């Protein structure tokens, strides 16, 4: 697949983009013409519509990257337990700056307990790199078609999530998050992770074939982030294709910083937030620091609401939901 420059002299730190072809339009036209000649258009209406949509949209997608190493200090502060991962991303960005090379990031596995912010990290990274994010939850899926599509021979067949991200999306290099990869289940006939064997290898990903569309797609620019609680549920060949980072719960001090950041963020996102104190009280931070990062936002929204019902604009410890009303504590590192 080819690419061409869209922005040639960007300002330092702003995203730059090239247009990259993620499939061969001529190959799609040949597939469509063959289907029309067969007289089976009605039988394969969904497939015909997919190919027509590909031709209408065209194969060009944005391949974006920062023009220089961006200021990542806010992310280090917001995600203190992801320092090693951020260091790795920074190295990859540095390699691609001042060149025409695309941003290439070795697939990432975030390994850690639920609630430490693994999916939130992926969203922040997509924002940092200026590309989109697609979330693929594996915990309740049993069929291999989730990633690679299902054969058009089957009733109700459709393309897979990788095809949708590249063909229906705007970017040639989206961040695709395979969430809870260790929870994927399957049988001998359908391996939900089977497509990853080729998708996580740069060379084979250049000609990834979705089983439904049957047209090679260039998925080599995809930035892969997978999450798991237990690496024992992941096949060794897939583990070997990724950089594995063990994500621990944040320290008490780091958890307090995360809670304070979330408080300021919620306050700034809402007009009513401007009536509340610029910073939360220390005892509120102490209580929030006992929660998993994913629980902090919900607890804060409850606290803001309780304070307002009490005609106050200062949060108090009692405004937070009590332990036992939701999930338990995650604990923190000493």
């Amino acid at each position: 697949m080819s690419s061409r420059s869209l922005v040639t002299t960007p300002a330092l730190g702003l995203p730059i983009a090239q247009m990259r072809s993620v499939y061969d339009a001529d190959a799609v036209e040949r597939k469509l013409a063959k289907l029309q000649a067969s007289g089976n258009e009605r039988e394969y209406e969904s497939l015909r519509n997919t190919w027509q949509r590909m031709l209408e949209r065209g194969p060009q997608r944005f391949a974006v990257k920062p023009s220089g190493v961006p200021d990542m200090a806010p992310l280090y502060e917001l995600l203190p337990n992801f320092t090693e991962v951020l260091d790795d991303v920074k190295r990859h960005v540095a390699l691609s700056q001042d060149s025409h090379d695309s941003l290439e990031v070795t697939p990432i596995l975030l390994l850690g307990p639920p609630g430490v912010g693994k999916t939130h990290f992926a969203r922040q990274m997509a924002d940092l790199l200026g590309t989109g994010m697609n979330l693929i939850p594996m915990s309740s899926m049993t069929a291999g078609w989730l990633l690679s599509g299902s054969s058009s021979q089957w009733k109700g067949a459709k393309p897979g999530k990788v095809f949708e991200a590249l063909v229906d999306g705007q970017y040639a290099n989206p961040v695709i998050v395979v969430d809870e990869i260790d929870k994927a289940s399957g049988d001998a006939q359908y391996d939900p992770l089977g497509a990853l064997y080729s998708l996580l290898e740069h060379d084979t990903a250049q000609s990834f074939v979705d089983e439904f569309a049957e047209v090679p797609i260039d998925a080599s620019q995809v930035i892969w982030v997978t999450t798991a609680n237990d690496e024992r549920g992941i096949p060794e060949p897939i583990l070997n294709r990724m950089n594995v980072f063990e994500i621990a719960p944040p320290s008490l001090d780091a958890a307090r910083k995360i809670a304070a950041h979330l408080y300021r963020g919620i306050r700034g996102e809402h007009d009513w937030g401007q009536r509340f104190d610029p910073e939360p009280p220390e005892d509120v931070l102490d209580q929030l620091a006992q929660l998993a990062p994913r629980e902090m936002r919900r607890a804060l929204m409850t606290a803001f609401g309780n304070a307002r019902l009490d005609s106050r604009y200062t949060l108090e410890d009692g405004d937070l939901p009590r332990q036992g009303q939701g999930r338990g504590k995650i604990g923190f590192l000493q």
Side-chain angles (χ1 to χ4, degrees):
M1 305 293 177
S2 62
S3 63
R4 60 185 176 83
S5 177
L6 180 69
V7 181
T8 55
T9 56
L12 181 63
L14 295 177
I16 61 174
Q18 293 180 330
M19 295 300 291
R20 185 179 181 92
S21 294
V22 295
Y23 54 86
D24 184 350
D26 291 339
V28 179
E29 286 184 347
R30 289 192 295 270
K31 287 281 188 180
L32 183 58
K34 186 176 180 180
L35 177 62
Q36 292 170 336
S38 71
N40 294 327
E41 285 187 77
R42 180 172 298 179
E43 183 179 355
Y44 295 99
E45 182 178 3
S46 180
L47 183 59
R48 181 198 65 191
N49 292 340
T50 296
W51 287 336
Q52 288 178 335
R53 187 173 77 252
M54 293 175 74
L55 293 175
E56 290 169 0
R57 289 214 62 198
Q60 298 289 314
R61 299 292 181 273
F62 291 111
V64 300
K65 67 177 182 180
S67 61
V69 179
D71 178 15
M72 295 172 61
L75 282 184
Y76 279 97
E77 182 176 353
L78 175 62
L79 303 164
N81 49 334
F82 288 82
T83 296
E84 290 186 9
V85 198
L86 290 169
D87 288 345
D88 190 57
V89 172
K90 182 184 285 189
R91 283 189 289 268
H92 284 91
V93 172
L95 285 173
S96 68
Q97 69 171 324
D98 300 328
S99 74
H100 293 292
D101 292 339
S102 299
L103 175 63
E104 183 178 340
V105 178
T106 303
I108 293 170
L109 170 61
L110 305 177
L111 187 64
V116 294
K118 300 187 292 290
T119 305
H120 178 66
F121 166 83
R123 294 187 187 280
Q124 294 294 321
M125 190 171 78
D127 289 343
L128 173 76
L129 301 178
T131 186
M133 177 186 141
N134 297 265
L135 181 67
I136 304 176
M138 301 298 293
S139 57
S140 60
M141 301 300 177
T142 58
W145 54 259
L146 184 64
L147 286 167
S148 60
S150 52
S151 172
S152 58
Q153 304 289 332
W154 294 91
K155 183 178 180 180
K158 61 181 180 179
K161 297 297 185 180
V162 176
F163 178 94
E164 290 178 355
L166 293 169
V167 174
D168 296 330
Q170 302 180 56
Y171 302 100
N173 60 339
V175 173
I176 296 183
V177 181
V178 183
D179 200 29
E180 296 187 308
I181 188 174
D182 54 327
K183 301 267 194 329
S185 60
D187 53 36
Q189 185 176 4
Y190 297 111
D191 179 4
L193 301 181
L196 286 179
Y197 290 94
S198 61
L199 284 168
L200 296 181
E201 291 283 1
H202 184 271
D203 292 342
T204 53
Q206 290 180 339
S207 298
F208 169 70
V209 178
D210 182 272
E211 290 188 27
F212 178 82
E214 300 178 349
V215 176
I217 301 292
D218 183 1
S220 63
Q221 303 300 301
V222 170
I223 299 169
W224 290 97
V225 179
T226 66
T227 75
N229 301 331
D230 188 346
E231 65 180 317
R232 291 174 296 181
I234 307 172
E236 190 67 26
I238 291 181
L239 273 176
N240 291 337
R241 287 166 164 80
M242 299 184 289
N243 284 343
V244 181
F245 298 94
E246 295 190 17
I247 309 300
S251 67
L252 177 59
D253 182 61
R256 286 171 56 87
K257 290 180 179 178
I258 293 172
H261 178 87
L262 287 172
Y263 176 94
R264 292 190 291 268
I266 294 172
R267 181 179 177 272
E269 290 167 3
H270 300 88
D271 182 59
W272 50 257
Q274 303 309 306
R275 302 182 181 184
F276 282 85
D277 295 340
E279 297 292 335
E282 293 297 316
D283 58 343
V284 170
L285 288 180
D286 289 339
Q287 290 299 316
L288 288 169
Q290 305 297 323
L291 301 176
R294 71 159 57 155
E295 305 293 332
M296 290 180 184
R297 184 179 181 89
R298 289 200 292 269
L300 276 167
M301 290 300 294
T302 298
F304 279 120
N306 284 335
R308 187 66 188 91
L309 286 173
D310 200 32
S311 301
R312 287 182 284 104
Y313 294 106
T314 297
L315 297 193
E316 296 179 358
D317 173 77
D319 295 326
L320 295 166
R322 296 296 91 191
Q323 292 297 329
Q325 294 180 4
R327 299 184 181 180
K329 298 180 182 180
I330 190 173
F332 52 84
L333 299 181
Q334 297 291 345

